[in-house]
Amino acid sequence: MVGSVPSCETIWGPKEGSQLVRTSKSIWACAKYFQLIRSESLPVMRSLKGEVFSMYQYRSFFNTCRIPGETKDSIARYFKTESEGFCPLHVIVLCNGHIYKMDVFDQNEEQYGSYEILRQLTYIKERSSTKGQGIGVLTADDRTSWAKVYEHLVTLDPSNKKLLDTIQSAIMVASLDSETPQNITQLMTANISGRNCEDRWFDKSLNVVYYESGLLGFIGDHCPYEGLLGTIFNAWGDNLVSRITTDWCGKPDVRTDGSAPQELIFVTDEKVQQAMCHARDTYTKLAGKCDVFCSGFSLYGRVWVKEQGFHPDAWMQLAIQLSYYTRHSKPAPCYETATTRGYYHGRTETIRACTNEMVDWCKAMQNPHATRSERLELMKAAGTMHMIQGSQALDAQGCDRHLLGLYAESLEAGEDTPEIFTDPAFFKCGGAGNFVLSTSLLGYWAGCGGVVPMRDDGYGVYYNLRKQDFYLSIFSFKTCLETSSYELFQEMYRSLVRMQNVVTESKL
């Protein structure tokens, strides 16, 4: 999954020569958030109704990494709270193929200020003028190929295992990237398909990319936690840094003992070099498929929607369905994320947004003979049904996780696959990761994010419901001639206008 930080639209717009200063402040903010979680000082999250949410996923936000396996990957979590004991306190910096271990805390676990972090980053940048090993590219390969070369690296030399452990256990990865995106669409494109795949560690739970233009991007493995945690952190860190009135964050002190970041050099051979070439080819083919478009809708926002008696999330899902129906002349199975963090170790459930009520309303919007009142009533019915399904999903009463559990039980028991999971209707309605529309609410603040579609002919539509405007991040694949992220955005814009007209004209 990828994302941006809100400040890219405000105080941290593109600016030549700002990369290292902004990186130092951002890493300082990351370390501050890490410290809050480690000391168990982060306020407990609650639902809009005030119900307590499980904070378990925060144990996987930092110091976490996916480990490749030939048959199944695993998740390595190195994070511990202060009461549980020691936790790794370093970060990994990738720059021009080089990999460095950098300290952001001293031996007493006192956090370094941004000036000290800047000193270390400058050291790294100056020593990375020539191309490094580029080991990070291996994480961009298909999982089976990466798993095989991972095992080869470990057996090739004992030092390689220690270096991998150092990367995997780090608080986060910071990538100093030479690309120069100038707007949010370019930034998100660089995040998900940028040219410098050697300067990523795609298995890490948190990999922040700091571009030469001064913009910041976010990459994270989606397995350990749901994406909303990333957008919450981005908003928190952005607010923290934007309110600091000094040129530095934290302490202005700089170490004078000559301490320097440690470069990690792997022992490689011809097999590893061939695997790196294969990984780059794999990445280049996949990256070339990605089509991203991000932009805002400024005619109204969630405040106006609520004044009309609609829930903003239901309103946006109405717009998504209408846009797809208008563009493709058919409805599409749609996945929307619902959190189940109201339960112990809860993660997500699926809101199946494409309901009969939604389709009936879309048909009425396309029917020139439908009256204003008919469209409005069908619109209200579709919105109501969406909220009912959403409430059920939040209460863990959806069907998808239940079906997944039954499927997993049948596998573990060695039984034949139940017929429902091989029925064509199961796939057509989105089962087994076949939703044409993959959607999610990213929050009520600035910023954006998302992941690629589940299907080659699908879309990923992710949205921020701000007070006076909306922001959309749309993903598709260039290899499908029927889809276009830009054209879907244009249709979304028209749909939001049409929906406002339905409401306002019915009052005339």
Side-chain angles (χ1 to χ4, degrees):
M1 57 184 172
V2 297
S4 72
V5 297
S7 58
C8 289
E9 300 178 59
T10 54
I11 61 170
W12 278 4
K15 185 179 186 302
E16 185 178 349
S18 64
Q19 182 186 40
L20 295 188
V21 171
R22 292 180 181 180
T23 303
S24 66
K25 292 181 178 181
S26 172
I27 292 177
W28 174 85
C30 291
K32 196 76 173 177
Y33 202 67
F34 162 83
Q35 211 168 31
L36 283 177
I37 300 173
R38 180 157 156 73
S39 62
E40 299 177 77
S41 301
L42 192 68
V44 174
M45 293 187 65
R46 297 176 182 273
S47 69
L48 295 176
K49 298 178 181 178
E51 299 168 342
V52 171
F53 274 165
S54 169
M55 301 291 282
Y56 179 75
Q57 289 185 48
Y58 278 96
R59 301 185 67 89
S60 302
F61 193 70
F62 295 110
N63 304 98
T64 299
C65 195
R66 179 198 285 246
I67 309 299
E70 287 197 42
T71 57
K72 183 175 70 173
D73 288 357
S74 58
I75 301 294
R77 298 176 176 88
Y78 300 83
F79 177 83
K80 289 184 180 180
T81 63
E82 290 178 349
S83 62
E84 293 171 336
F86 173 77
C87 178
L89 301 174
H90 64 279
V91 304
I92 293 296
V93 179
L94 304 180
C95 182
N96 197 24
H98 296 266
I99 305 176
Y100 281 88
K101 175 187 176 184
M102 185 178 79
D103 293 327
V104 291
F105 292 91
D106 65 18
Q107 293 180 342
N108 299 317
E109 205 165 326
E110 291 292 324
Q111 186 180 348
Y112 290 135
S114 63
Y115 276 176
E116 168 56 24
I117 297 173
L118 176 61
R119 181 189 70 83
Q120 297 188 67
L121 291 172
T122 303
Y123 176 94
I124 292 171
K125 191 73 179 285
E126 289 175 348
R127 285 157 181 77
S128 302
S129 57
T130 57
K131 198 72 174 177
Q133 285 184 301
I135 292 292
V137 71
L138 292 172
T139 65
D141 209 346
D142 67 87
R143 302 309 298 175
T144 302
S145 297
W146 170 214
K148 290 178 179 178
V149 74
Y150 182 94
E151 287 301 316
H152 178 69
L153 272 173
V154 170
T155 56
L156 185 61
D157 192 279
S159 65
N160 287 342
K161 179 64 168 66
K162 294 179 180 179
L163 297 181
L164 289 168
D165 286 342
T166 300
I167 297 169
Q168 293 158 0
S169 65
I171 294 173
M172 59 174 283
V173 168
S175 301
L176 298 177
D177 197 288
S178 61
E179 287 200 65
T180 57
Q182 299 297 309
N183 56 50
I184 301 301
T185 294
Q186 291 179 8
L187 170 64
M188 294 289 279
T189 300
N191 285 344
I192 205 164
S193 57
R195 64 173 180 264
N196 297 317
C197 55
E198 294 89 353
D199 293 326
R200 307 285 189 273
W201 203 270
F202 289 106
D203 293 349
K204 282 294 286 184
S205 59
L206 179 60
N207 186 163
V208 184
V209 186
Y210 302 96
Y211 293 98
E212 192 73 42
S213 60
L215 297 187
L216 284 67
F218 165 86
I219 300 174
D221 177 35
H222 211 338
C223 287
Y225 59 89
E226 58 183 285
L228 188 58
L229 269 66
T231 64
I232 291 171
F233 162 67
N234 284 341
W236 178 92
D238 192 74
N239 180 67
L240 176 68
V241 173
S242 65
R243 292 182 178 276
I244 292 175
T245 57
T246 57
D247 290 335
W248 65 89
C249 298
K251 301 176 182 178
D253 306 344
V254 175
R255 286 187 293 176
T256 58
D257 59 3
S259 299
Q262 173 193 354
E263 184 168 11
L264 309 184
I265 304 293
F266 284 80
V267 175
T268 67
D269 61 7
E270 183 62 29
K271 185 174 182 178
V272 174
Q273 295 300 319
Q274 291 176 355
M276 291 170 64
C277 291
H278 182 272
R280 171 163 273 286
D281 289 343
T282 300
Y283 174 83
T284 300
K285 291 175 183 177
L286 291 174
K289 295 173 57 177
C290 297
D291 180 26
V292 185
F293 188 79
C294 306
S295 192
F297 176 86
S298 59
L299 298 184
Y300 60 87
R302 73 171 189 267
V303 172
W304 182 86
V305 172
K306 293 173 72 174
E307 289 173 349
Q308 313 312 309
F310 287 86
H311 191 287
D313 184 69
W315 184 270
M316 185 57 71
Q317 287 293 329
L318 284 162
I320 293 171
Q321 286 294 323
L322 178 58
S323 300
Y324 186 89
Y325 193 95
T326 302
R327 179 166 167 73
H328 296 280
S329 301
K330 60 182 179 181
C334 178
Y335 165 95
E336 183 189 357
T337 306
T339 186
T340 54
R341 280 181 288 143
Y343 293 87
Y344 185 60
H345 288 192
R347 181 68 184 262
T348 63
E349 177 54 281
T350 300
I351 303 173
R352 288 177 167 258
C354 185
T355 61
N356 290 332
E357 291 79 3
M358 194 76 79
V359 175
D360 289 342
W361 172 68
C362 288
K363 289 179 178 179
M365 290 295 289
Q366 299 300 93
N367 181 3
H369 303 295
T371 65
R372 295 173 182 172
S373 60
E374 287 174 341
R375 289 174 175 174
L376 181 60
E377 289 307 309
L378 289 170
M379 187 175 175
K380 289 179 178 178
T384 299
M385 178 53 68
H386 182 78
M387 295 311 298
I388 291 172
Q389 294 223 122
S391 295
Q392 291 173 343
L394 289 170
D395 290 336
Q397 297 300 308
C399 66
D400 285 85
R401 301 301 177 262
H402 179 70
L403 289 170
L404 176 62
L406 292 175
Y407 178 68
E409 283 291 318
S410 69
L411 290 178
E412 292 177 4
E415 299 175 353
D416 293 336
T417 302
E419 290 183 10
I420 186 175
F421 300 113
T422 59
D423 192 304
F426 179 70
F427 297 95
K428 288 181 180 179
C429 74
N434 276 279
F435 288 98
V436 175
L437 295 172
S438 180
T439 73
S440 188
L441 164 63
L442 300 181
Y444 300 94
W445 45 79
C448 61
V451 298
V452 295
M454 296 185 189
R455 295 167 45 129
D456 287 341
D457 61 349
Y459 289 101
V461 184
Y462 308 92
Y463 48 92
N464 298 72
L465 303 175
R466 308 194 288 209
K467 287 184 178 180
Q468 304 302 331
D469 64 347
F470 301 133
Y471 202 87
L472 299 166
S473 305
I474 302 178
F475 299 75
S476 61
F477 291 119
K478 298 175 183 177
T479 47
C480 179
L481 300 180
E482 298 178 358
T483 60
S484 164
S485 297
Y486 173 76
E487 291 182 11
L488 185 66
F489 172 81
Q490 294 294 316
E491 200 62 62
M492 286 282 295
Y493 197 101
R494 288 189 286 268
S495 293
L496 290 166
V497 173
R498 292 175 67 191
M499 291 164 62
Q500 185 182 40
N501 291 341
V502 169
V503 173
T504 56
E505 290 175 2
S506 66
K507 297 178 180 179
L508 299 177

